[in-house]
Amino acid sequence: MDTVCSCNKLFDEKTRHPLVSVINLACPCSKDTIRVDCYAVIMRKGLANEAWNGGMECDFSDSTVFFRAPRNTIDITCGCKRNRQGLLLMFHPDLLCGTALDTCLADYHFLNYQKTEALHLSLAERKTLEQCFADIEHELEWGIDKYSARLIVNKIEMLLNYCCRYYHRQFITRHDVYAEKVESIGRRVDDELLAGSVRSRGLPHIAAYAAWAGMSEPYFNDMLRKLTGKDFDRFVQFRRIVIAKQMIIAHRQTDASVAAALGFYSTQCFQEMFKKITGVSTEEYR
């Protein structure tokens, strides 16, 4: 397990802070992969035509950004040993202790995306992130004092917030590609609910659906949220109510039979969920 200090040594970089570093990947390194105890943000140029990074025709292609949570392996070469152009930011979780970023880091879901869910940048976006890297490096040059950790973390948060903006933009440009997938997910959820397996196996689980879609759970949830406004759990509940409406009107089933068929704990639980989502009671809907 490599630390900030040991990674700096691999690239012959000076350690300015034991918990954070910005490394130029063009510097010679004896390893192709490293496994670090830090969060990592890797920005690389010239990877637009690499299929393994998940790039699509609707994406920008100037640069690609990958993210790694602690204890994960980082491929320094990104499959291209001849082209090492890029930047690597590493920051240890301990750096964030007592800061605002520490309390909201879990909101940056992309830190747990897999490499096929990378962020693809335009030229303007890449320049903005390069400035963020430069700002962090400039603060590291200042040295360690009582303000340095707070200021460095603020600049890291700025970089992550820009990545949030660019991922949001990427989901928009991929909307048409993912719309068909969301429809398939809806049909699959409906089939599972109508099969009556909910009573024995429980509600559809995100792990199975994310694997079926070939996505990590965080990315799968974010994709659904961007396109439907609902995470997977809320999406399933919405589909349950859609089917419940059909059962009430088309098949004239009672609340008790609908609740039993769709795996609600009780008739009252079903009725409360129905009114919460539709705004009317089951009797009013009838």
Coordinates of all heavy atoms in Angstrom, one line a residue, residues 8 55 155 195 219 224 251 276:
N8 N 5.4 9.9 -4.1 CA 6.3 11.0 -4.5 C 7.7 10.5 -4.8 O 8.3 10.9 -5.8 CB 6.4 12.0 -3.3 CG 5.2 12.9 -3.2 OD1 4.5 13.1 -4.2 ND2 4.9 13.5 -2.1
G55 N -15.9 5.9 -23.0 CA -16.2 7.1 -23.8 C -17.3 6.7 -24.9 O -17.3 5.6 -25.4
K155 N -9.4 24.1 -1.9 CA -9.1 24.0 -3.3 C -9.4 22.6 -3.9 O -9.8 22.5 -5.0 CB -7.6 24.4 -3.5 CG -7.3 25.8 -3.1 CD -5.8 26.2 -3.3 CE -5.5 27.5 -2.7 NZ -6.3 28.6 -3.4
A195 N -44.4 -10.7 -11.4 CA -44.1 -12.1 -11.3 C -44.5 -12.6 -9.9 O -44.6 -13.8 -9.7 CB -42.7 -12.4 -11.6
Y219 N -22.8 4.9 -9.9 CA -23.1 5.5 -11.2 C -24.5 5.1 -11.7 O -25.2 6.0 -12.2 CB -22.1 4.9 -12.2 CG -22.1 5.7 -13.6 CD1 -21.4 6.8 -13.8 CD2 -22.9 5.2 -14.6 CE1 -21.4 7.5 -15.0 CE2 -23.0 5.8 -15.8 CZ -22.2 7.0 -16.0 OH -22.3 7.6 -17.2
L224 N -29.9 7.1 -13.0 CA -31.4 7.1 -12.8 C -31.8 8.4 -12.3 O -32.9 8.9 -12.7 CB -31.7 6.0 -11.8 CG -32.2 4.6 -12.4 CD1 -32.6 3.7 -11.2 CD2 -33.3 4.8 -13.4
H251 N -58.2 -4.4 -13.2 CA -58.5 -5.8 -12.7 C -59.5 -5.7 -11.5 O -59.8 -6.7 -10.9 CB -57.2 -6.5 -12.3 CG -56.3 -6.6 -13.4 ND1 -56.5 -7.5 -14.5 CD2 -55.1 -6.0 -13.7 CE1 -55.5 -7.4 -15.4 NE2 -54.6 -6.5 -14.9
K276 N -49.2 9.0 -0.7 CA -48.0 9.8 -0.7 C -47.5 10.1 -2.1 O -47.0 11.2 -2.4 CB -46.9 9.1 0.1 CG -45.6 9.9 0.2 CD -44.6 9.1 1.0 CE -43.2 9.9 1.1 NZ -42.2 9.2 1.9

